[in-house]
C-alpha cells in the first residue's frame, strides 16, 4: 500500500504497528512530503532494517502518468491512471513566476452542468486522499520541485481544487488532502494558497470554511434561478438565495479574503446587460470578486462562447458598479486542459467504441442497447 495520502496521525499509527516510535513517523513524513522520496532506500536517516521492512510492506507510489502534454502557452496536463484503471486529469497553469496546480476530486462528476464536458462522463467515483495528493506530487515530480522550495521561489505555488468532480461531494477525502498539502514540514502549500471551487453544495459550505480554511470559489454562472437551474441542475436543490446566504456566512470571509465567483460567458444565455444588472443586485454587500470565464467549447457542446465585445461590455458594467471582474483568458485550450474540458482519454476511447458498435446495429438492436447503456453523445 502506498504511504502517500496518509495523514500524520495515520502514518504514526502505521509505524506504531511496526513497533516504531513516533519520531520515526516524523522522519518518514519529511522524506515523503518535503524531500519527495520515491524509494525507501534513499531515506538515510532511517535504519537499514526499517527501510527494508517498509520496502516489503509499503510503497511510495503515485498515480501512473499515462500521458503528459504541454500546451503552446506552457500549460501542462497529466492524464493519470489509478490502481483500478480509472483515470483523471491534473493541470498546471503557469503565471510569470508562480502558478497553480489544478487537481481533480472525483473521476467524472455527477452534477451534469450543461456547459461542462466532465459532466458527460458516465463513470464516477470519489478519489481518495492518496489519489488527490498524488496528483500534486506528480506535478512536483514533473517540475523537479523537491525538496519543497521556499514559498517565494517555487513555481507550483498554488493549488486549485477545480479539476474533475465536485469537491464538496467528497468532503472527507478532500479535507484530508488539504491537511497534508498545508503541513509546513511537507508540501507546505498554505491554506491561503489553496482554493476550492464548488458548484454550490450549500449544506457543506460552512464546514468547508471551518474545517479546511481554504479560499472559496463558487461556480455562479447565472443571476436568476431560472437561468441557473436550466444550466446547473444543482440549483434546483440549492437555489440562489440559499447559496448567497451561505456565502455571506462563510467562515473567514472578509474584504481581504473575498469569495471568487466564477461566471462562464455563454452566448445569449447569461451575458446580457440585464444579466449584469441582476448580478450586481444579487451580490450586493458580499465580499467577492468575479472571474469571467470565456466558455471553452468541447465536441458536441450545446453552447457558444459570448463574443469578446459582449464579455468586455459585461466586465465594464460590473466594474462600474465597483466589482472586481477580470476576464480569465483561457489556458491550455489546444490540449483540452481548460476549464470544463477535462475528460479522461479512456472515456473518449470508450465512447468511440460504443458509437462504432451502435453503428453496426439495426435500429431495433440500437434502441435496446441505448435503453440499457444510455444514448451516446454526438460524435466530435
Ligand atoms: N465542481 C466544481 C469544480 C469543477 S469545475 C465546480 O463546479 O466549481 C471548474 C470550473 O470550470 C467551474 O467554475 C465550472 O463551472 C467551469 N467550467 C465548466 N465547464 C466549462 C467550460 N466549458 N468553459 C468554461 N468553464 C467551464
Amino acid at each position: 500500500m502506498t504511504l502517500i495520502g496518509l495523514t500524520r496521525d495515520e502514518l504514526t499509527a502505521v509505524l506504531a504497528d511496526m513497533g516504531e516510535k513516533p519520531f520515526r513517523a516524523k522522519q518518514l513524513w519529511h522524506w515523503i512530503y518535503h524531500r519527495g522520496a520515491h524509494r525507501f532506500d534513499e531515506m538515510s536517516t532511517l535504519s537499514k532494517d526499517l527501510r527494508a521492512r517498509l520496502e516489503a510492506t509499503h510503497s511510495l507510489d503515485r498515480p501512473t502518468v499515462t500521458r503528459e502534454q504541454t500546451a503552446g502557452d506552457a500549460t501542462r496536463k497529466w492524464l493519470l491512471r489509478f490502481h483500478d484503471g480509472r483515470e483523471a486529469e491534473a493541470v498546471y497553469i503557469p503565471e510569470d513566476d508562480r502558478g497553480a496546480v489544478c487537481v481533480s476530486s472525483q473521476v467524472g462528476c455527477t452534477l451534469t452542468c450543461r456547459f461542462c464536458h466532465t459532466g458527460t462522463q458516465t463513470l464516477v467515483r470519489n478519489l481518495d486522499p492518496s489519489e488527490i495528493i498524488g496528483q500534486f506530487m506528480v506535478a512536483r515530480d514533473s517540475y523537479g520541485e523537491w525538496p519543497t522550495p521556499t514559498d517565494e521561489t517555487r513555481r507550483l505555488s498554488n493549488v486549485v481544487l477545480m479539476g474533475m468532480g465536485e469537491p464538496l461531494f467528497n468532503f472527507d477525502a478532500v479535507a484530508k488532502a488539504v491537511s497534508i498539502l498545508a503541513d509546513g514540514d511537507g508540501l507546505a502549500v498554505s491554506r491561503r494558497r489553496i482554493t476550492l471551487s464548488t458548484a454550490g453544495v450549500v449544506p457543506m459550505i460552512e464546514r468547508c470554511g471551518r474545517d479546511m480554511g481554504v479560499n472559496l470559489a463558487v461556480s455562479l454562472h447565472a443571476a436568476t434561478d431560472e437561468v441557473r437551474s436550466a444550466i446547473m441542475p444543482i440549483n434546483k436543490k440549492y437555489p440562489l438565495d440559499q447559496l448567497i446566504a451561505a456565502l455571506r456566512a462563510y467562515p473567514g470571509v472578509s474584504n481581504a479574503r473575498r469569495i471568487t465567483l466564477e461566471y462562464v460567458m455563454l452566448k445569449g444565455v447569461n451575458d446580457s446587460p440585464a444579466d449584469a444588472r441582476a448580478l450586481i443586485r444579487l451580490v450586493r454587500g458580499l465580499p467577492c470578486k468575479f472571474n469571467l470565464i470565456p466558455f471553452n467549447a468541447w465536441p458536441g457542446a450545446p453552447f457558444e462562447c459570448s463574443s469578446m465585445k459582449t464579455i468586455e461590455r459585461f466586465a465594464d458594467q460590473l466594474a462600474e458598479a465597483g466589482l472586481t471582474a477580470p476576464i480569465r483568458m483561457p489556458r491550455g485550450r489546444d490540449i483540452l486542459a481548460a476549464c470544463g474540458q477535462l475528460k479522461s482519454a479512456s472515456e473518449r476511447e470508450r465512447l468511440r467504441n460504443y458509437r462504432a458498435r451502435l453503428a453496426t446495429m439495426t435500429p431495433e438492436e440500437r434502441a435496446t442497447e441505448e435503453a440499457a447503456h444510455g444514448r451516446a453523445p454526438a460524435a466530435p
Side-chain angles (χ1 to χ4, degrees):
M1 186 192 86
T2 183
L3 293 179
I4 286 171
L6 297 188
T7 61
R8 264 184 191 274
D9 287 350
E10 288 166 343
L11 192 64
T12 309
V14 166
L15 284 183
D17 282 348
M18 298 173 74
E20 298 290 332
K21 298 228 163 64
F23 82 96
R24 291 290 174 207
K26 247 178 129 172
Q27 291 178 317
L28 190 52
W29 179 274
H30 188 82
W31 280 108
I32 299 173
Y33 295 117
H34 179 79
R35 305 289 292 262
H38 281 254
R39 295 187 333 272
F40 294 108
D41 64 16
E42 298 171 38
M43 301 182 174
S44 53
T45 56
L46 302 184
S47 70
K48 279 217 158 112
D49 164 66
L50 177 57
R51 283 185 255 163
R53 283 189 292 136
L54 283 167
E55 185 72 50
T57 47
H58 294 88
S59 79
L60 297 166
D61 289 347
R62 286 86 157 122
T64 308
V65 179
T66 51
R67 189 165 186 202
E68 177 180 289
Q69 286 170 282
T70 305
D73 66 5
T75 298
R76 189 170 290 182
K77 179 169 94 166
W78 300 270
L79 176 65
L80 304 168
R81 180 171 297 150
F82 305 113
H83 60 88
D84 63 351
R86 296 281 165 90
E87 295 177 315
E89 291 177 318
V91 179
Y92 172 62
I93 308 125
E95 307 282 344
D96 288 343
D97 53 354
R98 59 201 184 91
V101 179
C102 177
V103 306
S104 296
S105 55
Q106 299 180 306
V107 171
C109 188
T110 53
L111 290 170
T112 64
C113 299
R114 305 252 297 120
F115 46 82
C116 181
H117 201 190
T118 307
T120 65
Q121 177 161 338
T122 48
L123 297 171
V124 182
R125 78 158 167 83
N126 283 336
L127 294 178
D128 67 24
S130 78
E131 293 165 332
I132 298 170
I133 286 295
Q135 296 172 58
F136 182 71
M137 293 181 75
V138 159
R140 275 261 182 99
D141 291 343
S142 175
Y143 284 89
E145 283 207 325
W146 302 112
T148 297
T150 62
D151 205 9
E152 295 75 40
T153 57
R154 63 179 85 153
R155 282 187 287 179
L156 278 56
S157 57
N158 291 60
V159 171
V160 293
L161 284 152
M162 286 189 192
M164 299 166 78
E166 169 50 50
L168 295 187
F169 282 162
N170 188 15
F171 191 94
D172 293 343
V174 168
K176 254 187 198 179
V178 165
S179 78
I180 297 169
L181 268 177
D183 188 288
D185 181 39
L187 301 171
V189 182
S190 90
R191 292 173 194 268
R192 294 193 164 257
R193 293 188 182 275
I194 303 174
T195 301
L196 181 150
S197 178
T198 178
V201 185
V202 167
M204 303 305 283
I205 287 179
E206 201 262 337
R207 252 189 89 194
C208 174
R210 189 159 35 89
D211 293 5
M212 291 196 233
V214 293
N215 302 318
L216 190 67
V218 175
S219 297
L220 192 61
H221 303 327
T224 64
D225 281 321
E226 193 193 350
V227 176
R228 196 164 190 267
S229 293
I231 58 177
M232 299 180 70
I234 193 174
N235 192 68
K236 293 177 200 150
K237 194 149 183 204
Y238 307 118
L240 279 171
D241 57 342
Q242 291 180 26
L243 177 58
I244 299 295
L247 302 187
R248 289 188 201 284
Y250 188 65
V253 72
S254 70
N255 280 327
R257 214 174 175 203
R258 292 177 284 171
I259 289 171
T260 301
L261 299 175
E262 296 157 289
Y263 198 94
V264 61
M265 301 298 302
L266 303 169
K267 187 181 205 160
V269 175
N270 63 359
D271 61 353
S272 71
D275 289 312
R277 282 195 298 275
L279 208 49
I280 292 162
R281 272 197 305 278
L282 182 71
V283 304
R284 191 156 288 155
L286 176 70
C288 66
K289 54 186 177 208
F290 279 88
N291 228 325
L292 301 179
I293 315 174
F295 169 66
N296 292 307
W298 38 271
F303 299 104
E304 280 177 66
C305 183
S306 313
S307 72
M308 212 47 219
K309 211 170 130 222
T310 303
I311 300 177
E312 276 163 9
R313 188 186 57 200
F314 199 90
D316 287 346
Q317 225 180 316
L318 297 184
E320 278 159 26
L323 295 164
T324 309
I327 302 167
R328 184 159 85 193
M329 280 332 226
R331 303 288 302 270
R333 266 186 180 175
D334 52 338
I335 57 167
L336 287 181
C339 301
Q341 293 185 313
L342 301 186
K343 177 162 173 168
S344 58
S346 63
E347 175 80 2
R348 285 192 277 267
E349 177 72 13
R350 205 181 63 79
L351 265 179
R352 263 195 301 277
N353 294 341
Y354 183 42
R355 274 193 220 102
R357 205 150 53 78
L358 289 178
T360 64
M361 294 178 180
T362 64
E364 292 76 30
E365 285 170 341
R366 197 183 158 114
T368 320
E369 187 70 16
E370 285 186 338
H373 298 290
R375 171 155 283 175

